[in-house]
Amino acid sequence: MALNKLFFRKTIVAGTGLFLCIFLIVHLSANCILLLPEETARGLYNSYSTTLRENPLIKLVAYALYASILLHIIYALLITLRNRKAKPQKYIVNHANENSSWTSQNMGLIGTMILLFIVVHLANFWARIKLGMGDSVGLDVAGNVDVYEVTSNLFHNLYYVIFYTVLAIPLALHLYHGFKSAFKTLGFYHRRGLRIVAKTALIYAIIMGVGFGIIPFIVYFK
Ligand code: HEM
């Protein structure tokens, strides 16, 4: 395949990936509201969620988010398939561990686990709240859709708590590797700069993994 085609695909994966990284910072910050006492959390969470759904500008950002998720998955798949085709035979002596990390060799597996998470997650919230699928969602005293109630009910089911918490691990691994790779793809080769990127990626991945992993547990015991 022409090199610039591969470069184009990698740039799409890197660009959409970094956009999704920003979304996750905003999403985790909003979900931290769930850690407040119920009287405060319910009103705040529901009015935040209503603002997101009703503001036309934020609606545009939401469409960019859906497009980014799709493009990220499609182009990552195309790159993986192309790499497989280019290297059909397994080498007898494969110093894989010396050449790359476990995470980078298993991006396909980790990506599939995150895809499973996103499908279940969107069915839990997005499909119910935005598309009105499944059990109907009530309103709170202010007349906002009671997204807090949906979240609280879900995280009082231990299976979902475990599912969300366990899948925060592949999420953190993917973010750590993906964050570093995105900067390299976008032409960031400075040695000292790359060390700073690697440290930032580690801190970012730990905050996201621990944050998204621990919230369901805290809500469960609230
Ligand atoms: C503690 C964990 C999480 C909670 C409590 C949570 C909660 C929610 C809620 C309530 C919504 C619906 C918002 C609305 O329409 O009002 C939502 C949407 C969404 N979540 Fe999460 N989320 C969590 C983790 C994640 C993670 C780890 C990801 C990505 C890997 C993610 C990706 C999304 C996406 C893409 C949407 C759709 C956004 C939109 O249409 O506005 N969430 N989440």
Side-chain angles (χ1 to χ4, degrees), residues 23-24 27 31 34 45 49 52-53 62 65-66 69 114 117-118 121-122 125-126 129-130 147 151 155 164 171 211-212 215-216:
F23 161 73
L24 283 183
H27 202 46
N31 282 319
L34 296 168
Y45 199 64
S49 166
L52 285 196
R53 274 193 313 278
L65 174 70
Y66 308 146
I69 294 175
I114 296 169
F117 169 81
I118 291 181
H121 181 54
L122 292 185
F125 291 104
W126 184 78
I129 296 158
K130 280 204 171 155
V147 181
T151 314
F155 293 155
Y164 272 71
L171 176 69
F212 281 120
I215 289 175

Side-chain angles (χ1 to χ4, degrees), residues 37-125:
E38 185 176 337
E39 318 81 73
T40 326
R42 188 183 293 271
L44 260 179
Y45 199 64
N46 291 346
S47 63
Y48 167 79
S49 166
T50 305
T51 311
L52 285 196
R53 274 193 313 278
E54 291 180 357
N55 184 310
L57 251 181
I58 298 181
K59 268 189 193 166
L60 270 182
V61 179
Y63 290 127
L65 174 70
Y66 308 146
S68 295
I69 294 175
L70 287 177
L71 287 173
H72 190 80
I73 295 170
I74 292 168
Y75 280 94
L77 253 172
L78 287 175
I79 294 171
T80 310
L81 292 177
R82 180 248 173 211
N83 285 347
R84 290 239 172 104
K85 234 167 119 190
K87 288 184 272 179
Q89 79 276 45
K90 295 251 179 230
Y91 297 104
I92 298 168
V93 181
N94 182 8
H95 298 287
N97 290 339
E98 289 165 27
N99 299 329
S100 55
S101 68
W102 182 90
T103 312
S104 66
Q105 289 168 48
N106 291 283
M107 281 303 263
L109 172 71
I110 293 174
T112 309
M113 289 165 95
I114 296 169
L115 183 60
L116 168 77
F117 169 81
I118 291 181
V119 171
V120 173
H121 181 54
L122 292 185
N124 288 154
F125 291 104

